[in-house]
Amino acid sequence: MKRTLLVAVAALIVGAGGVFTATQVDAWGSTGHRFVGVAAMRALPGELPAFLRDPGAAAEVGELSREPDRSKGAGQPHDRERDTAHFVDLDDNGHVMNSRGPTLSELPELKSQYDAQLLAAGIEVNDAGYLPYAIMDAYQQLARDFATWRVLNAAEARETDAGKRAWYREDRLRREALIRRDIGFLSHYIGDGSQPHHMSIHYNGWGDYPNPEGFTNSRQTHGAFEGAFIRRNMRLDAVEAAMPAPNLEGFQMRARVATYLNATLAEVVPFYRLEKTGAFAADAQGAVLTPGAEFATARLAAGAAELRDLITLAWREAGAQSIGWPAVKVAEVEAGTADPWTAMIGED
């Protein structure tokens, strides 16, 4: 029943020429985040397992892509710790907050070290945000999910003991649900990283900074763009058509995240120049996209492509990992040269 309902949601997303027709809540966390998740899942290559490549999975990830926003309001410390995962405020030269903050290529290995570095520079941690770490953490979790699934899937196919095979199957199904959920969280943070306001000190109007081009200081700028404008103008087919080709070579996680987020930072001034022309006040007409709609489509397409690629890269990385305790190598289990039973069920 659940899968049938999700397929119905997917039909709403792709119906009417790709226009999303379901009721929305104003925020990138609804329409925009759904589109990033669905477009990425629909573009996964054939090397990914079948449970991720059907309309129900795409729709489910689209819904789960909203989850980090939907969990807000739980209280402290939950909210303060998690709310700052959605952004990182960079100045015009790419430093966190100001010239005393690090650039994305200079981030220390651990978030705790990042926090200490900011405090030493007189920068409030909660003002700065930690989106790069949220993306890296979510990617690494997904790779571990995939490593576990690959072991369970291989063991289930080969196991001759009926009881063990049944346990492998149930654990594999649990892992599949976790994988969809964890892709949803990765999708959310990747989506946040494609929205220029989530990358800049100019996150809601230009703010109290030198403003030679006379950009808006309206405190409605951020919400109006990622909410009502996105909801009215975005089409899934346009987002999918704008997705760049896969980029899977030479992957290094930290460098990849810095490159992706810096590319979004480079779109802050173009956004404000478009806003100054009224580009985000006009709506697209049918299949003809306005300059504002083209800009937003390109941003969502960048997020969807990055998510597609990181899912694929996590799948590949999982094949070289070891998992469980005592640890077994994924490749050896898939080759049939290692028995993962104790590692999976636990030796206690």
Side-chain angles (χ1 to χ4, degrees):
M1 183 64 169
K2 179 182 178 183
R3 182 66 63 176
T4 301
L5 290 172
L6 287 168
V7 172
V9 171
L12 283 174
I13 293 172
V14 300
V19 179
F20 190 84
T21 59
T23 301
Q24 302 292 339
V25 178
D26 283 358
W28 197 281
S30 54
T31 307
H33 278 300
R34 279 189 177 111
F35 275 21
V36 168
V38 171
M41 294 295 286
R42 282 162 52 97
L44 289 178
E47 69 187 91
L48 273 293
F51 79 90
L52 291 177
R53 292 184 289 105
D54 66 59
E60 187 170 6
V61 167
E63 295 305 305
L64 290 168
S65 296
R66 305 167 55 222
E67 204 60 27
D69 280 342
R70 298 178 76 194
S71 71
K72 292 179 178 179
Q76 304 301 344
H78 176 282
D79 291 351
R80 184 67 276 170
E81 285 300 309
R82 298 190 185 208
D83 287 356
T84 47
H86 298 255
F87 65 92
V88 60
D89 284 354
L90 303 177
D91 71 8
D92 298 337
N93 295 313
H95 291 262
V96 178
M97 294 299 287
N98 56 53
S99 60
R100 297 187 300 276
T103 66
L104 295 182
S105 62
E106 297 169 337
L107 296 180
E109 181 178 16
L110 302 179
K111 181 183 175 295
S112 58
Q113 296 170 327
Y114 169 72
D115 293 349
Q117 186 176 18
L118 294 181
L119 290 172
I123 297 171
E124 288 291 334
V125 174
N126 290 339
D127 292 341
Y130 66 92
L131 177 59
Y133 291 96
I135 293 173
M136 290 187 285
D137 175 79
Y139 168 82
Q140 290 176 325
Q141 179 60 57
L142 180 59
R144 299 304 280 167
D145 287 338
F146 278 146
T148 300
W149 185 91
R150 291 177 70 147
V151 166
L152 293 167
N153 185 61
E156 178 189 354
R158 189 173 291 114
E159 184 57 62
T160 58
D161 180 279
K164 290 182 178 181
R165 187 169 61 251
W167 186 89
Y168 280 134
R169 178 182 184 277
E170 291 302 314
D171 206 44
R172 173 180 57 79
L173 293 175
R174 280 190 291 269
R175 185 58 50 178
E176 289 176 5
L178 283 170
I179 286 171
R180 289 188 291 268
R181 185 261 194 193
D182 289 342
I183 290 176
F185 271 66
L186 177 61
S187 173
H188 187 92
Y189 296 125
I190 290 291
D192 282 344
S194 71
Q195 214 283 50
H197 296 108
H198 285 253
M199 294 303 306
S200 175
I201 56 176
H202 311 297
Y203 58 85
N204 199 13
W206 194 254
D208 189 19
Y209 301 98
N211 191 359
E213 296 190 49
F215 294 140
T216 183
N217 268 314
S218 170
R219 301 295 289 174
Q220 306 302 314
T221 304
H222 185 147
F225 170 64
E226 71 174 15
F229 182 81
I230 296 295
R231 186 180 68 250
R232 294 194 311 266
N233 287 278
M234 292 301 94
R235 295 175 18 236
L236 182 62
D237 60 345
V239 171
E240 290 179 313
M243 289 171 65
N247 175 17
L248 302 171
E249 302 303 321
F251 174 68
Q252 293 182 317
M253 181 184 65
R254 299 176 71 82
R256 175 70 173 249
V257 171
T259 297
Y260 172 65
L261 296 180
N262 278 322
T264 302
L265 176 66
E267 298 298 326
V268 172
V269 169
F271 169 86
Y272 278 101
R273 286 174 177 161
L274 279 170
E275 192 281 334
K276 191 176 179 180
T277 71
F280 301 111
D283 289 346
Q285 300 296 319
V288 179
L289 298 181
T290 63
E294 286 184 355
F295 178 91
T297 296
R299 290 287 80 228
L300 290 173
E306 188 69 3
L307 177 60
R308 172 203 62 203
D309 289 355
L310 289 187
I311 294 170
T312 305
L313 288 163
W315 170 257
R316 293 180 180 181
E317 182 174 323
Q321 291 188 358
S322 297
I323 200 75
W325 185 258
V328 291
K329 293 183 178 180
V330 174
E332 291 181 357
V333 176
E334 290 184 322
T337 59
D339 182 353
W341 176 251
T342 301
M344 289 293 97
I345 201 166
E347 62 181 353
D348 60 338

